[in-house]
Amino acid sequence: MEKIKIEDLFNFNFLSGISLSDDGKYLAFVVSKANEEKNNYTSNIWLLDTTDSKLKKLTTYGNESNFIWLDNKTILFQSIREDDEKQRKQNGEKFSSFYKISVDGGEAEKYFEIPLIVKKIKKLDSENFVILGEYNIYDNDKDYIILDEIPFWSNGAGFTNKKRTRLYLFNLKNKEIIPISGEYENVSHFDIAKNGKNILFISNEYKDKMEIRSDLFIYNLETKGKEKLTHDDPFRYAYAYFLDDSIIFAGSDMKNFGVNENPKFYLLDPKSKKVTLLTPNFDLSIRNSVGSDCRYGSYNNAAVDENYLYFVTTEYSSSYLNRIDKTGKIEKLTVNGGSIDGFDVKNGEIYFIGLKNFKLQEIYKLEKAEKQVTFFNERLVNERKISKPEKFTFTNKDGIELEGWIIKPVDFEEGKKYPAILDIHGGPKTVYGEVFFHEMQIWASEGYVVMFTNPRGSDGRGNKFADIRGKYGTVDYEDLMSFVDEALKRYPFIDKERLGVTGGSYGGFMTNWIIGHTDKFKAAVSQRSISNWISKFATTDIGYYFVADQQSATPWDNFEKLWWHSPMKYADKVKTPTLFIHSDEDYRCWIAEAIQMFTSFKYFGVESRLVILKGENHDLSRSGKPKNRITRLREITNWFNKYLKE
């Protein structure tokens, strides 16, 4: 077998958008692949017949997305196919074209077009749809940009000043589009009642400064009336669904643990407006926080079927599928580790996309056990040398047991010393787990030990463990250094004189922090990092509220604290050769963060290099243009090879 290669990215199949027909006979999903020639991704809809497990590729054009079931035999999907559509799109015209196709195959037929950029669509009946679409309060097609609110831009979306995501009704027969939400509201989620008479949605209305809160509304399709159901203020709603004659929702008042506080589940009676807290002792994240660079597309984290809300949680280093009923009783449905990357359920039948058994994504059916039903990536994994993580636990200085892993080099030889790379996850409220990670396998193939852990601040262990507000660079740094010391003690084949460190986002911050506080590492790669909490406060799309919340300070009430937690403060102590990698359209951790640290290093004579990827954003390593993803990984690997091998 061959070692895994950086270019194997072009052979990966990424699965997303899983959806069952109402009768449960067919499972539709999207398969995406990196296209080397066009330097983009092709996405096609596939179909699984659940009665005999037969698979077929339903569309072949390559840009199919945002699909729904029109009926049990017909799929509606969004695409740009015709030459005039392509030309109009290139000219900046804002519209969305929808096509329909039968599960029996044949050519797709253009069904309708909407003069909006559609983000999501759901069917009300054969002639009416509910649409989540872009709405511009200002004319943004001018040669200048007006900013009069914060946030004014968003990672992956560019300048968003006075842009909102608005909810609409669309009638197919008369082409009428009626807005449901207000022009200053940003709608983040909606659900349609089974009887088709009501729409439930979550939105945040603002004009000058977006507050971290949201409201819950119900819209009556018969009376055309909108009613506010918000039960507490401020409150941050995660999602809300109709469950029989009630509404079940998840959210947090953020009083105890700030913006990252884990949601709880509530039941609301639409008639009496009575709200019941169902899970007072529930303390888990209701999302999949398990990191991987082998995903592409969108995923469902919650769905209602019969008398249950099904949802995903992250627990320690894995994510799991659960369900809750109206009494608040929670059942954990999956027990195997790994990652649940979206699911759907109809009539009790459950299918999910998973990163399981250290494989790339496949679809699984949940019966009494998890049964793999697709094998899109099986051949590639079987033809490559894969080094699986080895887990160990250790106790930090405060007596808390932590999890850590090492990945041995491919073709490991006893008695030989190996360089090692500490890889730090982003977030900080995410986790590393035992799932396939392309970059880690590349480094193992290059002869490195790869080390990773989930320090305090990580997800999966409740609010208290994740809460490092005002503590960045203290307890998390201690946990990471304790982990490295423990790994060196347990694995004598790790060469302590050839250690590297890298990470992205929060992991980039921590990389910057580490090399300003220890000379233990001989090379560093800081990706999409944070170097200065003062500048981050006023420049990034989440800065003004995230920094105030996470650092427990603003530039006015505690300038010294923000500077104390800023890696740039310690740049004059750094001796470690450092590569900075950043995207020029990263509005989450703006490029100024990398530039400031890079300039500081050059000023003090530290060996450093800054690589800027054009046209990319904060998600470069996960969904950037394929060739840029390869450039990034090659630059990192070459940097470590230069300083840890030569």
Side-chain angles (χ1 to χ4, degrees):
M1 290 193 295
E2 295 182 8
K3 294 179 180 179
I4 197 162
K5 305 171 184 176
I6 294 178
E7 291 77 13
D8 279 333
L9 174 69
F10 293 112
N11 299 316
F12 295 167
N13 290 285
F14 306 106
L15 280 55
S16 64
I18 187 169
S19 178
L20 282 158
S21 58
D22 285 341
D23 61 6
K25 185 178 179 183
Y26 295 104
L27 178 74
F29 55 96
V30 175
V31 178
S32 301
K33 292 197 73 170
N35 186 310
E36 184 172 12
E37 181 182 350
K38 295 182 179 180
N39 196 25
N40 61 8
Y41 298 87
T42 58
S43 299
N44 291 294
I45 299 171
W46 283 67
L47 204 66
L48 173 75
D49 189 323
T50 62
T51 60
D52 58 16
S53 295
K54 288 184 178 178
L55 274 169
K56 71 176 179 181
K57 191 175 184 179
L58 194 61
T59 65
T60 58
Y61 202 79
N63 65 0
E64 285 73 36
S65 64
N66 203 11
F67 75 87
I68 59 171
W69 289 92
L70 283 177
D71 54 49
N72 289 322
K73 299 277 286 184
T74 312
I75 287 175
L76 178 76
F77 62 90
Q78 198 168 343
S79 184
I80 296 293
R81 293 191 158 205
E82 299 171 358
D83 290 339
D84 72 310
E85 290 178 339
K86 296 176 187 176
Q87 187 59 53
R88 288 161 58 205
K89 204 75 172 177
Q90 289 175 3
N91 293 339
E93 187 175 341
K94 293 176 172 55
F95 68 96
S96 298
S97 297
F98 286 86
Y99 292 76
K100 65 177 183 177
I101 191 169
S102 168
V103 296
D104 296 323
E107 289 296 321
E109 172 190 343
K110 188 169 183 179
Y111 198 42
F112 58 81
E113 185 179 294
I114 303 174
L116 292 170
I117 303 298
V118 175
K119 299 295 185 182
K120 193 169 186 178
I121 186 169
K122 288 186 179 182
K123 187 186 76 167
L124 270 173
D125 53 46
S126 60
E127 289 189 354
N128 295 285
F129 297 84
V130 183
I131 289 168
L132 202 58
E134 285 187 4
Y135 175 74
N136 295 329
I137 299 169
Y138 288 170
D139 178 6
N140 292 301
D141 294 327
K142 298 176 180 177
D143 292 331
Y144 55 90
I145 298 169
I146 296 172
L147 303 181
D148 59 6
E149 65 182 18
I150 54 174
F152 49 79
W153 58 14
S154 176
N155 185 68
F159 283 97
T160 57
N161 194 82
K162 289 299 185 287
K163 288 184 180 180
R164 300 292 188 264
T165 304
R166 202 170 182 185
L167 201 60
Y168 299 88
L169 293 176
F170 171 68
N171 181 271
L172 181 59
K173 189 174 182 179
N174 59 27
K175 309 300 181 185
E176 186 179 26
I177 301 173
I178 301 172
I180 294 175
S181 59
E183 65 173 355
Y184 286 94
E185 289 183 64
N186 239 349
V187 177
S188 58
H189 167 91
F190 72 95
D191 187 43
I192 301 172
K194 275 190 176 181
N195 60 16
K197 294 181 180 179
N198 293 294
I199 299 170
L200 189 67
F201 68 93
I202 296 168
S203 72
N204 183 352
E205 184 175 13
Y206 64 98
K207 292 184 179 181
D208 296 303
K209 183 177 77 169
M210 183 185 75
E211 301 293 345
I212 305 307
R213 56 172 302 282
S214 53
D215 291 305
L216 182 63
F217 293 92
I218 190 167
Y219 181 85
N220 188 299
L221 287 154
E222 293 179 337
T223 65
K224 311 299 182 187
K226 183 175 75 170
E227 184 180 5
K228 188 175 179 180
L229 301 176
T230 304
H231 76 295
D232 198 6
D233 194 6
F235 196 84
R236 195 175 189 180
Y237 293 87
Y239 47 66
Y241 291 90
F242 290 103
L243 186 61
D244 293 333
D245 56 352
S246 300
I247 292 169
I248 189 168
F249 65 86
S252 164
D253 60 16
M254 304 170 284
K255 289 179 180 177
N256 296 318
F257 296 97
V259 298
N260 279 339
E261 186 165 332
N262 289 331
K264 297 186 184 300
F265 287 100
Y266 299 78
L267 196 71
L268 185 153
D269 184 332
K271 293 180 180 178
S272 68
K273 307 299 183 296
K274 180 184 177 182
V275 174
T276 303
L277 173 59
L278 295 176
T279 57
N281 301 315
F282 184 76
D283 190 19
L284 290 172
S285 176
I286 56 168
R287 59 173 187 157
N288 178 16
S289 299
V290 182
S292 175
D293 55 0
C294 294
R295 301 186 181 106
Y296 184 84
S298 59
Y299 304 93
N300 296 327
N301 280 320
V304 167
D305 183 61
E306 298 176 334
N307 301 316
Y308 298 97
L309 171 71
Y310 291 76
F311 63 98
V312 172
T313 56
T314 297
E315 302 175 41
Y316 279 77
S317 56
S318 294
S319 56
Y320 300 91
L321 186 60
N322 312 261
R323 69 181 184 182
I324 184 172
D325 63 16
K326 291 169 67 173
T327 70
K329 179 184 176 183
I330 295 177
E331 297 175 75
K332 190 173 179 178
L333 303 177
T334 58
V335 295
N336 296 338
S339 172
I340 305 290
D341 294 354
F343 71 94
D344 201 15
V345 53
K346 287 288 190 301
N347 307 315
E349 296 287 310
I350 301 169
Y351 288 83
F352 66 86
I353 299 168
L355 283 165
K356 296 282 183 172
N357 304 314
F358 215 67
K359 298 178 179 180
L360 288 159
Q361 287 179 321
E362 300 292 354
I363 292 178
Y364 297 79
K365 182 179 182 182
L366 182 60
E367 298 174 316
K368 290 183 178 180
E370 300 171 5
K371 178 185 176 184
Q372 184 177 337
V373 295
T374 67
F375 301 87
F376 284 97
N377 292 298
E378 200 80 4
R379 181 179 174 184
L380 176 69
V381 173
N382 290 336
E383 290 178 349
R384 294 289 186 267
K385 294 179 179 180
I386 305 296
S387 184
K388 296 184 178 180
E390 297 179 16
K391 179 181 174 181
F392 65 89
T393 59
F394 64 102
T395 303
N396 69 11
K397 76 179 190 67
D398 293 323
I400 302 170
E401 186 177 81
L402 302 176
E403 298 177 317
W405 293 263
I406 69 151
I407 298 176
K408 288 180 179 176
V410 170
D411 299 329
F412 174 79
E413 297 178 24
E414 291 287 352
K416 186 176 177 180
K417 287 276 191 177
Y418 292 93
I421 299 170
L422 172 64
D423 201 355
I424 306 169
H425 67 62
K429 200 182 174 189
T430 62
V431 296
Y432 275 153
E434 295 175 24
V435 299
F436 193 94
F437 227 110
H438 186 209
E439 66 181 34
M440 294 185 184
Q441 290 302 311
I442 290 298
W443 299 331
S445 293
E446 286 281 329
Y448 292 97
V449 177
V450 183
M451 308 181 292
F452 56 97
T453 186
N454 293 321
R456 278 173 285 183
S458 302
D459 205 357
R461 295 181 61 173
N463 282 309
K464 187 176 180 181
F465 186 85
D467 185 21
I468 57 169
R469 290 173 299 163
K471 301 175 184 176
Y472 278 54
T474 61
V475 296
D476 46 357
Y477 171 71
E478 292 167 5
D479 288 351
L480 286 164
M481 293 304 97
S482 296
F483 164 68
V484 173
D485 291 342
E486 185 69 23
L488 290 173
K489 184 171 69 175
R490 286 174 180 253
Y491 304 103
F493 52 79
I494 298 176
D495 188 345
K496 66 179 182 179
E497 300 301 322
R498 293 189 292 162
L499 299 180
V501 58
T502 188
S505 195
Y506 164 78
F509 156 78
M510 188 50 69
T511 298
N512 291 344
W513 182 270
I514 285 171
I515 58 179
H517 289 78
T518 179
D519 297 332
K520 181 178 293 188
F521 298 90
K522 305 308 177 187
V525 181
S526 176
Q527 307 170 59
R528 57 189 190 280
S529 69
I530 300 163
S531 63
N532 184 345
W533 289 107
I534 299 163
S535 60
K536 182 173 172 62
F537 178 94
T539 57
T540 69
D541 62 350
I542 62 171
Y544 72 93
Y545 64 84
F546 185 81
V547 173
D549 179 80
Q550 291 294 292
Q551 299 307 325
S552 303
T554 72
W556 300 275
D557 62 26
N558 203 336
F559 179 97
E560 291 79 10
K561 181 172 178 58
L562 288 185
W563 183 237
W564 189 91
H565 287 282
S566 297
M568 188 175 166
K569 171 180 168 63
Y570 311 95
D572 60 338
K573 307 290 193 299
V574 176
K575 297 182 177 63
T576 309
T578 304
L579 169 67
F580 295 94
I581 293 184
H582 225 96
S583 300
D584 68 348
E585 295 179 10
D586 185 341
Y587 303 137
R588 183 62 36 86
C589 297
W590 193 36
I591 193 171
E593 297 299 312
I595 291 172
Q596 290 177 90
M597 204 68 172
F598 169 72
T599 300
S600 301
F601 282 19
K602 286 297 184 183
Y603 181 80
F604 288 112
V606 180
E607 185 70 22
S608 51
R609 171 184 170 99
L610 171 58
V611 176
I612 300 171
L613 282 301
K614 294 182 179 180
E616 298 293 351
N617 61 51
H618 197 66
D619 298 320
L620 164 66
S621 64
R622 300 177 286 265
S623 59
K625 290 188 265 316
K627 289 181 181 179
N628 283 343
R629 290 176 67 178
I630 285 175
T631 295
R632 165 197 166 268
L633 192 45
R634 186 175 288 124
E635 286 281 347
I636 295 171
T637 306
N638 289 344
W639 188 263
F640 283 134
N641 287 346
K642 178 179 179 180
Y643 290 99
L644 302 182
K645 284 186 175 182
E646 294 178 2

